Amino acid sequence: MWQQRVDVAPPYDFSHALKRLALDPLISVDIAKQKVVVPLYVQQIPIAVTVESIGTKEEPSFLVTAPYPERKKEIIERISHLFQWNTPLAPIHEHFQRTELQPLFTEYQGMPLILDFDLYFCLMKCLIHQQLNLKVAYRLTERFVKTFGTQIDGVWFYPRPEDIAALSYDELKQLQLSGRKAEYIVDTSRLIAEGKLSLEGLAHKSEAEVMEALLSIRGIGPWTVQNFLLFGLGKPNVFPKADIGLQRAIQRLFGLSEKPSAQQMEELSNRWEPYLSYASLYLWRSIE
């Protein structure tokens, strides 16, 4: 095992991030000890990486612990990306102090955008979560991983695309997924397993190019792509206007009698650029 300390620019409030991660029953989070265990695949090797806060919001510092010292550089790079340690939050905080979201950015100051730990699973989760409330979505996602994934030392590792590509639709329907969702998940996994869709390759493309590539796949709509752009690729300016949770959060924040219209969502989002992903994150957090 090896350990490395990583210092991050303030403000960075890990406690807010952990509370959000703890909503997912699959993630091994210890809020009291301020740490999380991240299931990473590095060159197809499953590696459990512990990330522990040893600093404060004003002086953020982390201890990363993992096996495979020969993979240390790659692991640190991956963890830094997933936890967005190289994205200064101070300019983002200052930007929103001049907007209607100032109360949220004051309340949750320093809350980072934490990415999903695995690109493939991020896309599968987006498919599973389509048109479901959060509680049901998490339950089905947990069932999916615990049926087809692998548990190593108490940590759940997500299934690989080739594992799901080999399944029949009926095997997924047994998890109480709809027939269509079962088809979307298996068919998309087959495209990835066969090399016809490279999720890693999408990381180097523009949002428009990612949208074009994924919308051509049956079962993937704009909401799914936007969530993949946000939580998979970490794009900073994504705002899923059709998301019911965002609409509810805006309705509550602004005291509206009904959910905001598409035009209202558009007008508001124009004022929050170029950090729409953070507007989305903080609005979601306000109703969780």
Side-chain angles (χ1 to χ4, degrees), residues 16 32 51 67 107 111 117 149 156 159 174 196 201 220 265 281 286:
H16 280 316
V51 177
E107 182 176 359
M111 181 174 66
F117 300 150
W156 280 101
Q174 288 173 10
K196 296 175 182 175
I220 296 181
M265 296 285 281
L281 175 67
S286 72

Side-chain angles (χ1 to χ4, degrees), residues 192-209:
I192 296 168
E194 293 166 4
K196 296 175 182 175
L197 172 64
S198 169
L199 299 183
E200 288 73 19
L202 293 179
H204 307 293
K205 295 185 180 297
S206 68
E207 291 179 27
E209 289 171 325

Side-chain angles (χ1 to χ4, degrees), residues 200-218:
E200 288 73 19
L202 293 179
H204 307 293
K205 295 185 180 297
S206 68
E207 291 179 27
E209 289 171 325
V210 174
M211 188 72 72
E212 182 181 2
L214 292 181
L215 286 179
S216 66
I217 298 170
R218 180 172 171 263

Side-chain angles (χ1 to χ4, degrees), residues 125-179:
K125 187 168 78 170
C126 290
L127 288 171
I128 293 171
H129 282 222
Q130 287 176 355
Q131 299 178 318
L132 295 175
N133 71 55
L134 204 55
K135 186 177 291 187
V136 173
Y138 274 135
R139 186 165 66 244
L140 288 175
T141 307
E142 181 181 16
R143 199 175 292 162
F144 175 77
V145 172
K146 290 186 175 180
T147 302
F148 304 116
T150 305
Q151 190 178 34
I152 303 174
D153 296 330
V155 180
W156 280 101
F157 284 80
Y158 311 120
R160 299 290 77 208
E162 53 271 19
D163 301 328
I164 306 304
L167 299 176
S168 67
Y169 301 146
D170 285 340
E171 287 175 283
L172 277 181
K173 286 166 62 179
Q174 288 173 10
L175 304 182
Q176 299 189 327
L177 289 164
S178 70

Side-chain angles (χ1 to χ4, degrees), residues 8-190:
V8 178
Y12 190 102
D13 196 327
F14 199 50
S15 60
H16 280 316
L18 287 182
K19 288 173 186 174
R20 197 158 198 278
L21 289 174
L23 296 172
D24 189 335
L26 289 165
I27 299 179
S28 179
V29 174
D30 189 327
I31 292 177
K33 295 182 179 178
Q34 288 287 286
K35 68 179 181 180
V36 59
V37 182
V38 180
L40 282 189
Y41 283 101
V42 180
Q43 304 297 327
Q44 300 304 314
I45 301 170
I47 302 176
V49 183
T50 300
V51 177
E52 178 182 4
S53 173
I54 55 173
T56 63
K57 179 173 77 172
E58 293 75 20
E59 295 183 359
S61 186
F62 297 89
L63 196 62
V64 179
T65 307
Y68 297 94
E70 70 276 12
R71 306 284 184 189
K72 180 178 179 179
K73 183 175 183 293
E74 184 174 358
I75 289 171
I76 290 292
E77 287 176 354
R78 289 273 299 279
I79 292 295
S80 296
H81 175 64
L82 293 175
F83 288 87
Q84 297 286 280
W85 285 340
N86 298 322
T87 300
L89 294 177
I92 298 170
H93 178 77
E94 289 302 316
H95 170 78
F96 283 101
Q97 294 305 297
R98 302 184 294 274
T99 74
E100 305 90 339
L101 297 186
Q102 182 271 335
L104 297 186
F105 277 80
T106 297
E107 182 176 359
Y108 303 114
Q109 182 185 19
M111 181 174 66
L113 173 64
I114 307 295
L115 307 190
D116 283 328
F117 300 150
D118 182 83
L119 268 186
Y120 166 69
F121 181 65
C122 177
L123 186 56
M124 294 301 103
K125 187 168 78 170
C126 290
L127 288 171
I128 293 171
H129 282 222
Q130 287 176 355
Q131 299 178 318
L132 295 175
N133 71 55
L134 204 55
K135 186 177 291 187
V136 173
Y138 274 135
R139 186 165 66 244
L140 288 175
T141 307
E142 181 181 16
R143 199 175 292 162
F144 175 77
V145 172
K146 290 186 175 180
T147 302
F148 304 116
T150 305
Q151 190 178 34
I152 303 174
D153 296 330
V155 180
W156 280 101
F157 284 80
Y158 311 120
R160 299 290 77 208
E162 53 271 19
D163 301 328
I164 306 304
L167 299 176
S168 67
Y169 301 146
D170 285 340
E171 287 175 283
L172 277 181
K173 286 166 62 179
Q174 288 173 10
L175 304 182
Q176 299 189 327
L177 289 164
S178 70
R180 285 193 174 181
K181 275 195 184 176
E183 292 173 13
Y184 301 158
I185 289 167
V186 171
D187 291 350
T188 304
S189 298
R190 287 174 180 166

